[in-house]
Amino acid sequence: MSTIAATASIHAMAVVEDGAVIGENVKIGPFCHVGPKVVLGDNVELLTHAVVSGQTTIGKGCRIFPMAVIGGDPQSVHHGGEETTLTVGDNCTFREGVTVNTGTADFGGRTIVGNNNLFLANSHVAHDCRVGNNVIMSNNVMLAGHVTIEDRVILGGGCAVHQFTRVGRQAFVGGLSAVSYDVIPYGMLNGNPGLLSGLNVVGMTRAGVDRATIHAVRRAYKAIFEGDGSIRDNAAAIRDEYADCEQVMQILDFIAAESDRALSSPTRGQKG
């Protein structure tokens, strides 16, 4: 049996299946479809023709625009119809045609999206992804399965992120870029193949990072990617020097972490 708050507004031509949980002040427009295992938090709005399906929880204040399909089955040949989940945080916006899939059983069965994210038209979040907070995915961005997007990342229109890739905190990826390897926090990546082209100084400044810290991160970046050793050896060598700089330590920890993908650099993937 559905649990529908008294303050919810559901259009007569919407379908809310038995078992759904609908929070306070939810608005569901005409021709929407809400599945039987869906939970819609307070103040969620579904505009006409929006679909929320699967075992999906949508946090408070989210807006889902026409033709978006949130909680669809994973697009994976390994999916055998198992019951997997999608969890979305608060205040996310899913524009027209956005698709977000549930997880796959072989990898924990969970796709997780954080708070305050903006998904522009026709962007896609595949199975088992982890998307942080305050992320912007521009039009037609494609995340393959098992991708991790950390907080405050901006992904330019039409970029594609390879499966199992990580994109670090407050990185910026240019439009139409091919993200085949992990992108460090605060990094900027452009092109196909995607090459690291420096630091997202504009984003750091907007986030309130002071000039002295930005200069420290620049020095660390140069030491990591222009030093004589490997990227990982260079990063390890400067750890003590930058122990008091939070932003540099985030980069060093990201590099040191285990990953299925190599690290993006200013040269990786170039031919010749």
Side-chain angles (χ1 to χ4, degrees):
M1 182 175 180
S2 296
T3 301
I4 301 175
T7 55
S9 173
I10 302 173
H11 195 279
M13 299 188 76
V15 175
V16 176
E17 294 198 42
D18 191 30
V21 177
I22 311 299
E24 300 287 347
N25 301 308
V26 168
K27 296 179 180 179
I28 300 176
F31 307 108
C32 292
H33 182 238
V34 178
K37 297 180 180 179
V38 168
V39 177
L40 300 182
D42 297 346
N43 301 304
V44 167
E45 181 178 10
L46 275 58
L47 283 75
T48 180
H49 291 91
V51 174
V52 185
S53 59
Q55 189 168 331
T56 296
T57 299
I58 305 293
K60 298 177 181 178
C62 292
R63 300 186 75 205
I64 303 176
F65 279 69
M67 312 311 295
V69 180
I70 310 301
D73 285 349
Q75 299 175 63
S76 169
V77 296
H78 303 293
H79 181 61
E82 302 91 347
E83 189 170 89
T84 57
T85 67
L86 165 65
T87 303
V88 176
D90 299 339
N91 302 314
C92 292
T93 298
F94 301 90
R95 292 304 304 256
E96 294 82 358
V98 170
T99 50
V100 185
N101 296 160
T102 60
T104 56
D106 290 345
F107 292 90
R110 300 177 68 196
T111 301
I112 301 174
V113 174
N115 305 316
N116 306 310
N117 298 312
L118 174 59
F119 301 86
L120 296 187
N122 299 306
S123 55
H124 172 67
V125 178
H127 57 87
D128 305 290
C129 285
R130 302 289 187 269
V131 179
N133 305 311
N134 300 292
V135 170
I136 297 175
M137 286 178 46
S138 300
N139 301 73
N140 302 299
V141 168
M142 298 169 285
L143 304 186
H146 315 282
V147 164
T148 297
I149 306 294
E150 295 186 355
D151 295 349
R152 301 184 68 89
V153 167
I154 296 177
L155 300 169
C159 76
V161 184
H162 192 284
Q163 62 184 5
F164 293 100
T165 297
R166 300 176 298 149
V167 180
R169 176 183 177 85
Q170 213 164 316
F172 180 92
V173 176
L176 301 178
S177 295
V179 187
S180 298
Y181 305 107
D182 291 349
V183 182
I184 61 168
Y186 309 104
M188 290 189 66
L189 184 132
N190 289 281
N192 184 2
L195 300 178
L196 204 60
S197 57
L199 294 168
N200 183 16
V201 174
V202 171
M204 295 173 74
T205 301
R206 288 175 177 171
V209 180
D210 61 77
R211 184 181 297 272
T213 300
I214 291 173
H215 285 319
V217 177
R218 279 175 161 164
R219 290 193 300 271
Y221 177 92
K222 185 174 181 179
I224 293 167
F225 293 103
E226 297 180 18
D228 293 333
S230 69
I231 293 173
R232 295 184 187 278
D233 288 346
N234 292 341
I238 65 171
R239 180 171 286 273
D240 290 343
E241 179 182 354
Y242 290 95
D244 294 332
C245 182
E246 178 185 0
Q247 288 78 10
V248 173
M249 293 306 296
Q250 288 170 350
I251 294 172
L252 300 183
D253 289 343
F254 184 93
I255 291 172
E258 293 185 7
S259 177
D260 293 290
R261 306 297 296 165
L263 286 160
S264 294
S265 76
T267 58
R268 187 182 299 278
Q270 284 184 313
K271 296 180 179 180

